[in-house]
Amino acid sequence: MDILPNIDFSSNIHHLEQIKNMLAMEAASAASTTTSTSDNHHHLDYPLLVPAPPPPPPAALSRYESQKRRDWNTFGQYLKNHRPPLTLSRCSGAHILEFLRYLDQFGKTKVHTSCCPFFGHPQPPAPCPCPLRQAWGSLDALIGRLRAAFEENGGHPETNPFGTRAVRLYLREVRESQAKARGIAYEKKKRKKSSMPLLKKNQPMALLDHSAS
């Protein structure tokens, strides 16, 4: 009968458990390093890209500003179609009068001639062949808008062709002639009188100071 050698299995098992624990710790350490590297890779601090806010919508133009822009564009188109060619820098008061007379063909106001039986009649009882013209009020407002647009587009007030004396006289003549032909009166707006008493010449101040009496 063979006699087995006396081997200390308990010490070998303990040694194997130590090796197993060391391998497990190394594996856990490697896994932790990999996870940390992966997390750092996915969580880098990139600058936050925020889309720029859209520009605010342009403010809606008022009725006056819209009409002024249309008038300015119409006048610019008139200059382009003018024969001979005409530039804004060479435009004079005479050219403005020519433009106003050109607009008469698009007028809708009946202006009776002196030989018309309805001359001076505010409400004609029957139609007549008298021509249609631009009303004085429309022309006056048009010149005011174009005068402002000229300066807003770089023109100087002293060279503004819409503010020349010839244009002012023409508008006055149109107002007076249309008032007679249509039997209406264009009245200027009256200024409100000041409530403050006027001081007469050589009038002593004591007479106006009622609190002193």
Side-chain angles (χ1 to χ4, degrees), residues 89-190:
S89 59
R90 301 183 61 182
C91 191
S92 64
H95 295 115
I96 303 304
L97 299 184
E98 181 182 327
F99 173 64
L100 295 179
R101 295 188 182 100
Y102 159 79
L103 293 178
D104 269 337
Q105 62 182 310
F106 308 107
K108 299 180 180 179
T109 299
K110 179 78 70 173
V111 180
H112 303 290
T113 60
S114 58
C115 58
C116 178
F118 303 134
F119 182 82
H121 200 298
Q123 296 180 348
C128 65
C130 291
L132 296 176
R133 295 285 186 262
Q134 292 285 350
W136 165 79
S138 299
L139 294 178
D140 186 59
L142 171 66
I143 289 299
R145 292 190 295 267
L146 290 177
R147 185 174 181 176
F150 176 84
E151 298 179 10
E152 290 173 0
N153 286 273
H156 298 287
E158 55 273 11
T159 60
N160 195 329
F162 301 98
T164 59
R165 185 172 182 269
V167 174
R168 295 196 301 270
L169 291 177
Y170 176 79
L171 291 176
R172 184 185 304 174
E173 292 174 0
V174 171
R175 184 185 68 179
E176 294 176 355
S177 63
Q178 290 191 5
K180 293 179 181 178
R182 301 176 61 197
I184 57 178
Y186 296 106
E187 297 181 357
K188 293 184 178 180
K189 294 182 179 180
K190 296 181 180 180

Side-chain angles (χ1 to χ4, degrees), residues 181-200:
R182 301 176 61 197
I184 57 178
Y186 296 106
E187 297 181 357
K188 293 184 178 180
K189 294 182 179 180
K190 296 181 180 180
R191 296 182 179 179
K192 294 182 179 180
K193 295 183 179 180
S194 176
S195 59
M196 295 294 294
L198 297 177
L199 180 63
K200 296 182 180 180

Side-chain angles (χ1 to χ4, degrees), residues 11-87:
S11 61
N12 290 338
I13 293 173
H14 179 70
H15 183 65
L16 290 174
E17 288 180 352
Q18 288 181 344
I19 295 176
K20 183 178 179 181
N21 291 337
M22 290 178 60
L23 292 175
M25 292 176 62
E26 291 179 357
S29 177
S32 176
T33 303
T34 303
T35 303
S36 177
T37 304
S38 177
D39 290 343
N40 292 335
H41 176 73
H42 290 288
H43 296 284
L44 293 179
D45 294 331
Y46 291 105
L48 185 61
L49 299 178
V50 179
L61 295 177
S62 65
R63 183 178 179 181
Y64 171 80
E65 292 296 332
S66 299
Q67 185 63 54
K68 181 172 62 176
R69 177 178 295 184
R70 288 193 295 268
D71 294 338
W72 185 249
N73 292 336
T74 299
F75 182 71
Q77 191 64 39
Y78 171 79
L79 294 181
K80 291 180 181 179
N81 298 334
H82 191 275
R83 295 292 177 270
L86 183 63
T87 59

